[in-house]
Amino acid sequence: MSEQDNDGPFGDDDSKAGYGRPPKHSRFKKGQSGNTRGRPKGAKNKPPAPDDLAKIVAEEGSRLMKVKRDGESEMMSTARLITRKVMMDAAAGNHRSQKLALTLMAQSRDKRLDRDAATFAEAFKYKTFCQERIAEAQRSGKPSPHFSPHPDSIVLDFETQEVRCLELMPDAYELMRGYEHSLAYFQTAAYDICKGGYDADHGQILFEELVHVFEQMKIVSKALGIPWSENERRGPDFKRLRRLKDKVLADVT
């Protein structure tokens, strides 16, 4: 075997180095890899990072696709299209699709309940905090702090854990505040009647107006989803109320 064969196909003469003939010192050596660090572990078919994968899934799920419905074309997100296909197959009796549909609906319901519970807890915390600050200001004779939204405009339904903010519906908020003002007016009138400030005819008129206001409040409250009870026939515990009244007055005086 010649010396050229021992030095490889390019020979040992660096003076002839050029295109296709690298210098001897830069050539790959027999039995030694050109990548001394080696391939990173798991580099082959490496999956995307979790954050990147979530982003990819979200982007692909929101991608709009053109579909035909009742002979007309419409744009629909990939996620909605897949969900609709699963639901239609489930309704058609496909057992695998039915199982998947039930799982998706249960997951969606649980997420919605968790979100509603968190919103309700934050609304309750905010309403309680504002009411406590306002009560403190009133006890100390200071002006009440301004909160937006006002705690009175936040309606909490403890049974359904639904939160409504009447300030987001200005007309409804003004209407309910007007009814509250009406109740305060009738409260004063009732006190005057008890003191003998009105005759029987005036008392009957006030009673009819009060019934009318309550009926209107019931209609509006139910329309807005505000809890309203008209079947409370049990009287309050007046003895406990008197004890609480004495305790509260003792605490603030």
Side-chain angles (χ1 to χ4, degrees):
M1 183 177 292
S2 67
E3 183 179 353
Q4 182 175 358
D5 291 335
N6 290 333
D7 290 335
F10 303 116
D12 193 26
D13 188 358
D14 279 352
S15 64
K16 296 181 180 181
Y19 179 77
R21 297 176 61 88
K24 186 176 181 179
H25 71 276
S26 63
R27 300 173 191 171
F28 290 117
K29 294 180 175 58
K30 186 176 181 180
Q32 181 178 341
S33 171
N35 184 8
T36 56
R37 295 184 178 181
R39 188 182 69 192
K41 187 176 181 180
K44 187 177 181 181
N45 298 327
K46 185 177 181 181
D51 291 343
D52 295 336
L53 181 59
K55 181 179 179 182
I56 292 172
V57 171
E59 290 175 351
E60 292 302 318
S62 61
R63 186 186 298 276
L64 295 178
M65 301 182 66
K66 182 180 290 188
V67 296
K68 280 193 173 183
R69 184 181 181 188
D70 298 332
E72 296 184 0
S73 297
E74 65 173 309
M75 301 303 292
M76 186 180 299
S77 69
T78 305
R80 181 176 291 276
L81 184 62
I82 294 174
T83 303
R84 179 171 294 183
K85 175 63 175 174
V86 170
M87 297 301 177
M88 291 179 65
D89 289 347
N94 186 294
H95 295 296
R96 183 174 296 179
S97 296
Q98 289 174 345
K99 184 177 180 180
L100 178 57
L102 291 174
T103 300
L104 291 174
M105 288 188 289
Q107 291 176 347
S108 176
R109 179 202 60 207
D110 292 342
K111 284 188 176 181
R112 185 179 67 254
L113 291 175
D114 290 343
R115 183 177 62 250
D116 291 347
T119 301
F120 187 87
E122 286 298 320
F124 177 77
K125 182 179 178 181
Y126 173 82
K127 183 181 179 78
T128 303
F129 171 82
C130 296
Q131 289 175 332
E132 290 175 350
R133 299 291 85 77
I134 292 174
E136 288 177 2
Q138 291 175 344
R139 286 195 297 266
S140 61
K142 297 179 181 179
S144 296
H146 174 73
F147 293 104
S148 182
H150 193 278
D152 290 346
S153 72
I154 298 177
V155 181
L156 304 176
D157 190 331
F158 286 86
E159 187 172 336
T160 63
Q161 290 201 329
E162 185 178 4
V163 179
R164 285 178 175 267
C165 182
L166 297 184
E167 281 192 21
L168 300 180
M169 299 178 284
D171 292 340
Y173 181 60
E174 182 180 354
L175 179 62
M176 294 304 293
R177 298 292 287 186
Y179 283 145
E180 291 175 2
H181 185 198
S182 300
L183 291 179
Y185 164 75
F186 286 119
Q187 180 180 348
T188 303
Y191 181 71
D192 290 340
I193 291 175
C194 292
K195 290 171 52 180
Y198 287 95
D199 55 29
D201 292 336
H202 283 95
Q204 181 63 30
I205 293 174
L206 286 173
F207 173 76
E208 293 173 357
E209 290 180 351
L210 180 59
V211 171
H212 174 73
V213 169
F214 266 105
E215 288 297 323
Q216 297 305 308
M217 288 187 69
K218 178 179 69 175
I219 294 172
V220 174
S221 296
K222 288 186 175 180
L224 295 175
I226 302 174
W228 179 274
S229 176
E230 56 185 17
N231 297 316
E232 184 58 59
R233 305 300 180 188
R234 297 177 301 170
D237 187 343
F238 290 105
K239 291 183 178 180
R240 176 169 175 77
L241 290 178
R242 281 194 292 269
R243 289 196 300 269
L244 289 174
K245 179 202 68 175
D246 295 338
K247 184 176 182 303
V248 169
L249 293 178
D251 291 340
V252 299
T253 55

